[in-house]
Amino acid sequence: MSLVDKTKNTFALTTPLYYVNDLPHIGSAYTTMAADVMARFQRLMGHEVLLVTGTDEHGQKIQRTAESKGIEPQEFSNQMSAGFVSLWELLNIQYDRFIRTTNPNHEKIVKEFFGRLWESGDIYLGQQKGWYCVSCEEFKEERELLEGNLCPIHTNKEVEWRDEENYFFKLSKYQSQLEELYQSRPDFLQPESRRNEILNFIKGGLQDFSISRVNLEWGFPVPNDPKHTLYVWFDALLGYVTALLEPDSEPTLENALAKWWPINLHLIGKDILRFHAVSWPALLISANLPLPKRVFGHGFLTKDGQKMGKSLGNTIDPVELVKKYGSDAIRYYFIKEIGFGKDGDFNEVRFIEVVNADLAKNLGNLLNRNLKMVKKYCGGNVPSIASENVPDDNPLKAIGLQLGEQVKANYEALAFDRACEAVLRLSQACNKYIDDQAPWSLYKQGQQQEVEIVLYVVLESVRLAAYLLSPVIPNISSDIYQQLGFGIDFNNQIDTAKLAPFAVHGNWGLLSSGQELGQAKPIFQMIELS
Ligand code: MSP
């Protein structure tokens, strides 16, 4: 099934809604960077895009953290949530909606949705007994626990025994419908390894799960039974729906679902797979709503092999990183270095090596060197060569002719690392081509036409590379475009959609002969290893 609804030409995607028990770390920023890359790519494709992000503010974890700091949970959430907003700005994330689950509109949506499940007969009162991890906000099977009753994800946190009256959702009723979902829509959950994990989990038999808590104040009361508070995950998943409301429309499900539902893509980490790939579709089927098109569970950023996390306290501060190195370098490293779906370790020395090699040398020096030659040998403007007159077997043109389609397919499959690598191969080929062709010798021999061909194909290759990487490194791509004489800023959505659609700029041969070039300047400064 195509990810884009062709009848609507819209593309809605979400990041998880982040817990506000602490300020964001680089692990929580990871999904958001990937989501922004996907959103920018979809905009290049000419789709109307809605990127949803936000914060998940209820539940015991937040209540306890706020208490331990002597602050009211709402005030604490306000402070932490603001930290996410400002980090997204630093990372150049162009989100369209930022939903906070304490938003009053959200309570209305949650209540209406709860009413639908109630009507379906899928909610009942029962007794919940089990081990609870407050950091995960999830009950754990006894066999999953590590020695000393520790949570397998938050390996320094003991789970707590619970025995209380809760409302339950009849997940077990949806066993066969979920099996059928996974049969009929093999692309619903990706990558394949996560799909297999969830298929096994479903085959193991689904159990009803509790959707309320007692002795917890920080959350929405259960409609008609206010001594219960709704379970934080019940309220959090519905944040995706509330986020779709137009800013001034009445908070009803009908309004929220009118334009952007179903969501095209939920991006999440692998630790919250069951909520999105089992609970969420079952809740939606119960409410008689269409399901999202795709869920993608990426891997963890690790430090010394352990998941980086607020609860473990082994995090890296993204604000410090961005201030030191700039948003493009950070985005590029995480997107290119870590296969989306796999775990990846962050190491500052490796980071510096990668961005120096790819951005400063491969792309930056290439442009600079070429622009200097254009100035010296061709009067400073794009050489007077028409792309059609360059033979198709020219080594750069040959790559360039099929690169757009290849990179597009990579972005669509969320294989961001492969998209970057494919582009990089073109810029590597450019460097080799210049060395092989030696335009300085051709010039000395008076072979002006040959010199111009060499410089034209390299300039066009750099342009294409900059365009195809613009979802990842929008600032650098804009600088390259400026230097090539295009007045296009990839951070300006309206201009980009109008002036640089993929169907035109994603193809080889756009640079037109005689185009006036802009001012040459370095696009990325080499970082010194300190
Ligand atoms: N509040 C829930 C999500 C509700 S969505 C309706 C939650 N929040 S979280 O802040 O704990 O995690 C949010 C996301 O950040 C998850 O997708 C999680 O996988 C991701 N990450 C948190 N630490 C991470 C790493 N170290 N590496 C990669 N992603 C990480 O769960």
Side-chain angles (χ1 to χ4, degrees):
M1 171 187 291
S2 162
L3 252 193
V4 178
D5 185 338
K6 298 228 166 57
T7 55
K8 293 210 286 191
N9 196 35
T10 56
F11 191 93
L13 76 166
T14 68
T15 74
L17 308 183
Y18 299 95
Y19 283 132
V20 287
N21 60 319
D22 207 339
L23 289 169
H25 57 84
I26 195 72
S28 31
Y30 179 57
T31 331
T32 310
M33 290 191 271
D36 185 60
V37 169
M38 189 61 169
R40 285 175 186 261
F41 164 71
Q42 293 292 344
R43 289 191 202 104
L44 292 183
M45 297 307 295
H47 300 129
E48 195 186 348
V49 172
L50 193 84
L51 171 54
V52 171
T53 185
T55 43
D56 181 2
E57 306 187 355
H58 287 134
Q60 195 148 36
K61 164 147 120 172
I62 311 301
Q63 180 172 308
R64 279 193 190 166
T65 318
E67 267 164 14
S68 73
K69 298 190 188 287
I71 312 176
E72 283 302 312
Q74 184 64 70
E75 176 50 30
F76 179 62
S77 300
N78 294 349
Q79 290 172 14
M80 295 299 114
S81 188
F84 284 83
V85 172
S86 63
L87 178 61
W88 294 172
E89 194 168 318
L90 278 177
L91 284 170
N92 199 4
I93 306 292
Q94 295 191 327
Y95 59 84
D96 300 283
R97 299 283 159 79
F98 191 100
I99 174 73
R100 298 182 56 190
T101 56
T102 50
N103 176 325
N105 276 348
H106 184 50
E107 182 165 9
K108 302 208 176 78
I109 295 290
V110 171
K111 211 170 157 182
E112 192 183 336
F113 190 87
F114 184 93
R116 285 211 187 186
L117 305 198
W118 189 266
E119 292 296 310
S120 299
D122 286 345
I123 296 179
Y124 65 94
L125 202 55
Q127 193 69 19
Q128 170 75 63
K129 286 186 190 174
W131 294 106
Y132 194 69
C133 171
V134 175
S135 294
C136 292
E137 293 280 15
E138 186 181 20
F139 280 99
K140 301 282 167 187
E141 301 281 334
E142 185 143 356
R143 61 186 155 83
E144 291 178 82
L145 302 180
L146 306 181
E147 215 180 294
N149 278 354
L150 298 175
C151 166
I153 292 177
H154 303 97
T155 51
N156 60 348
K157 297 276 192 286
E158 257 187 63
V159 291
E160 300 172 15
W161 180 252
R162 297 285 157 82
D163 181 356
E164 60 183 43
E165 188 179 65
N166 285 172
Y167 281 95
F168 281 74
F169 171 69
K170 280 189 195 161
L171 181 64
S172 57
K173 179 175 153 187
Y174 293 98
Q175 172 91 28
S176 58
Q177 285 182 65
L178 288 177
E179 281 169 3
E180 150 65 16
L181 161 71
Y182 281 93
Q183 276 294 325
S184 61
R185 288 175 52 185
D187 295 346
F188 177 71
L189 174 60
Q190 291 172 329
E192 189 64 23
S193 55
R194 309 263 186 269
R195 180 170 182 268
N196 294 336
E197 183 188 325
I198 288 297
L199 278 178
N200 286 335
F201 177 72
I202 297 175
K203 277 193 199 122
L206 295 177
Q207 289 174 10
D208 298 348
F209 66 93
S210 66
I211 55 166
S212 77
R213 299 288 181 266
V214 287
N215 308 319
L216 171 69
E217 272 173 36
W218 185 234
F220 295 138
V222 167
N224 305 325
D225 195 351
K227 55 178 197 304
H228 286 261
T229 300
L230 280 171
Y231 172 40
V232 56
W233 267 100
F234 186 85
D235 135 21
L237 287 163
L238 285 164
Y240 295 141
V241 174
T242 307
L244 306 181
L245 278 170
E246 294 304 318
D248 44 11
S249 71
E250 272 290 295
T252 63
L253 272 179
E254 195 188 350
N255 285 342
L257 300 167
K259 175 161 182 188
W260 295 99
W261 194 264
I263 302 276
N264 299 72
L265 176 65
H266 286 303
L267 286 181
I268 56 166
K270 64 181 179 181
D271 51 337
I272 54 176
L273 213 56
R274 288 184 195 172
F275 294 107
H276 287 79
V278 179
S279 318
W280 186 221
L283 290 166
L284 291 167
I285 298 171
S286 170
N288 205 13
L289 295 177
L291 303 185
K293 301 212 164 182
R294 177 154 60 149
V295 176
F296 192 101
H298 64 69
F300 285 155
L301 301 189
T302 55
K303 199 160 168 224
D304 310 320
Q306 268 205 321
K307 178 189 178 225
M308 219 184 267
K310 297 171 264 199
S311 304
L312 280 176
N314 60 348
T315 58
I316 292 174
D317 180 5
V319 174
E320 221 172 274
L321 272 188
V322 184
K323 288 197 170 148
K324 204 158 155 196
Y325 300 119
S327 61
D328 275 9
I330 305 296
R331 293 164 66 105
Y332 182 79
Y333 176 83
F334 286 105
I335 295 297
K336 188 238 162 189
E337 255 321 89
I338 301 167
F340 202 56
K342 305 205 181 83
D343 289 352
D345 229 48
F346 177 77
N347 172 300
E348 203 158 343
V349 174
R350 173 82 192 133
F351 163 80
I352 293 175
E353 280 169 9
V354 167
V355 295
N356 276 349
D358 295 0
L359 303 180
K361 286 200 201 128
N362 229 309
L363 207 55
N365 284 358
L366 173 66
L367 174 69
N368 215 264
R369 188 179 174 202
N370 209 47
L371 284 176
K372 278 191 191 137
M373 288 193 281
V374 169
K375 203 163 180 192
K376 207 157 152 195
Y377 307 139
C378 314
N381 291 335
V382 174
S384 319
I385 299 292
S387 163
E388 312 82 82
N389 298 336
V390 177
D392 284 357
D393 64 355
N394 172 288
L396 302 187
K397 186 174 179 184
I399 300 176
L401 281 175
Q402 46 76 40
L403 190 66
E405 281 307 309
Q406 184 188 350
V407 169
K408 179 174 142 192
N410 289 149
Y411 277 123
E412 274 168 353
L414 294 117
F416 303 127
D417 56 332
R418 275 188 265 145
C420 295
E421 274 157 18
V423 176
L424 209 64
R425 277 196 292 277
L426 175 62
S427 61
Q428 281 159 349
C430 285
N431 281 311
K432 178 171 183 310
Y433 178 71
I434 297 180
D435 292 344
D436 290 349
Q437 297 295 316
W440 45 90
S441 309
L442 294 172
Y443 182 72
K444 275 198 202 129
Q445 292 155 17
Q447 301 191 39
Q448 185 64 20
Q449 173 82 357
E450 278 67 25
V451 172
E452 297 201 0
I453 290 182
V454 171
L455 298 185
Y456 175 86
V457 291
V458 174
L459 276 186
E460 173 56 10
S461 298
V462 178
R463 181 207 64 76
L464 186 62
Y467 183 78
L468 296 174
L469 287 179
S470 68
V472 186
I473 47 169
N475 297 336
I476 292 179
S477 293
S478 301
D479 281 353
I480 296 178
Y481 253 54
Q482 301 288 337
Q483 295 186 38
L484 293 177
F486 292 96
I488 290 170
D489 171 1
F490 290 104
N491 291 309
N492 180 327
Q493 287 179 20
I494 297 170
D495 270 13
T496 308
K498 218 169 47 200
L499 304 174
F502 197 96
V504 179
H505 282 240
N507 292 327
W508 169 268
L510 181 79
L511 215 51
S512 49
S513 129
Q515 172 157 310
E516 201 176 319
L517 295 170
Q519 192 69 31
K521 53 181 190 300
I523 53 153
F524 188 81
Q525 292 288 356
M526 285 280 279
I527 302 171
E528 299 296 329
L529 254 179
S530 50

